[in-house]
Amino acid sequence: MDERFEERKRMVERLKEEFGISERVARAMLKVPRHLFVPPNYSREAYADYPLPIGYGQTISAPHMVAIMCELLDLLPGHRVLEVGGGSGYHSAVVAELVGKSGKVITIERIPELAERARKTLKSLGYDNVEVIIGDGSEGYVKEAPYDRIYVTAASPKIPEPLIEQLKCGGKMVIPVGDTIQTLYVVEKDEKGRLKKKRWGSVRFVPLVGKYGFSSLF
Ligand code: SAH
């Protein structure tokens, strides 16, 4: 237990009350010291339920968004998961708790400085089931494919074809699609490779920049 445990516990209790977050996801979030993933000048706000800047124009998602995406993904021990948009590494740590030591999280981040920082934070906390890759995650990461679960933490103009290809049959993907305001989709790929898309609701993420994302920020 660390010195911010009580604050974290209050955050998790609020998420349970307001969003009906499950006991499993709540327990995972209770384990991850979010304050170590945000820049020191925002540390005080680490357990507030809103996004925070992490530098380079990017943000760490609000805790409720992390929780909701984890619920929608239905993560189980042993799952191999691809995260596109590693950012601070916080979301991948929560997912790592849910898939356990027998599972694996591959997270791709396009900004090398952020990837490097996430790598360091995750390593110092002993998350050796998370691998941080620098690159364009809109192309997925074929080397470790296929994945049981894929989630994207940046807004995509459409669902990138390589991500569909790299998802296992029977797998699930969660992805925000759209420009200024996006729709969060849950995509299921059945045993025959057919896709079923469900809309969860409106969300707001920073843009996915890359070959199958937006071409640039400006
Ligand atoms: N999951 C992160 C949230 C990061 S915000 C966290 O827990 O902190 C989204 C991130 O996606 C940003 O860091 C941005 O640099 C990254 N990103 C945008 N386009 C990308 C791409 N094509 N490939 C990989 N990362 C990308």
Side-chain angles (χ1 to χ4, degrees):
M1 242 187 267
D2 55 84
E3 74 285 359
R4 307 286 297 267
F5 182 80
E6 287 304 323
E7 263 179 275
R8 191 154 66 245
K9 198 165 171 206
R10 280 197 296 278
M11 173 190 85
V12 168
E13 289 307 319
R14 276 197 308 271
L15 294 178
K16 286 206 276 187
E17 278 165 35
E18 280 182 45
F19 300 94
I21 297 310
S22 68
E23 207 44 61
R24 252 193 106 233
V25 170
R27 226 176 299 134
M29 291 183 77
L30 196 55
K31 285 197 189 139
V32 184
R34 191 171 197 267
H35 62 283
L36 301 180
F37 289 87
V38 308
N41 50 326
Y42 285 104
S43 174
R44 225 165 39 91
E45 292 168 81
Y47 295 102
D49 193 16
Y50 45 77
L52 291 170
I54 52 172
Y56 309 92
Q58 310 303 322
T59 51
I60 175 174
S61 308
H64 74 268
M65 203 65 248
V66 172
I68 287 166
M69 288 176 85
C70 287
E71 297 288 355
L72 294 173
L73 280 167
D74 196 12
L75 295 155
L76 295 172
H79 272 164
R80 294 174 61 79
V81 185
L82 176 70
E83 176 186 55
V84 177
S88 67
Y90 173 71
H91 201 157
S92 65
V94 175
V95 172
E97 293 286 352
L98 287 160
V99 300
K101 292 279 174 211
S102 60
K104 187 168 184 188
V105 186
I106 308 287
T107 179
I108 311 196
E109 171 53 53
R110 66 180 277 270
I111 299 173
E113 291 83 354
L114 287 177
E116 211 43 68
R117 202 195 291 155
R119 213 174 256 157
K120 264 195 207 142
T121 314
L122 290 162
K123 186 161 189 258
S124 72
L125 292 167
Y127 286 106
D128 44 21
N129 54 345
V130 184
E131 195 179 330
V132 183
I133 307 288
I134 300 170
D136 177 6
S138 77
E139 299 185 59
Y141 189 65
V142 88
K143 233 172 109 186
E144 297 273 351
Y147 302 97
D148 297 289
R149 301 290 187 259
I150 297 179
Y151 66 102
V152 182
T153 68
S156 187
K158 54 184 184 338
I159 302 171
E161 202 53 47
L163 298 187
I164 295 171
E165 279 159 24
Q166 291 169 35
L167 185 65
K168 277 188 197 171
C169 287
K172 267 187 195 180
M173 166 160 45
V174 173
I175 177 168
V177 178
D179 36 52
T180 338
I181 293 193
Q182 307 98 37
T183 302
L184 191 66
Y185 279 94
V186 181
V187 182
E188 288 183 25
K189 189 176 185 179
D190 73 11
E191 295 303 337
K192 290 191 172 139
R194 290 173 304 210
L195 297 185
K196 197 168 81 190
K197 296 177 206 167
K198 278 187 246 166
R199 291 157 182 260
W200 178 80
S202 296
V203 289
R204 234 180 146 151
F205 282 88
V206 296
L208 180 76
V209 178
K211 189 170 172 198
Y212 295 86
F214 292 98
S215 52
S216 81
L217 287 171
F218 306 103

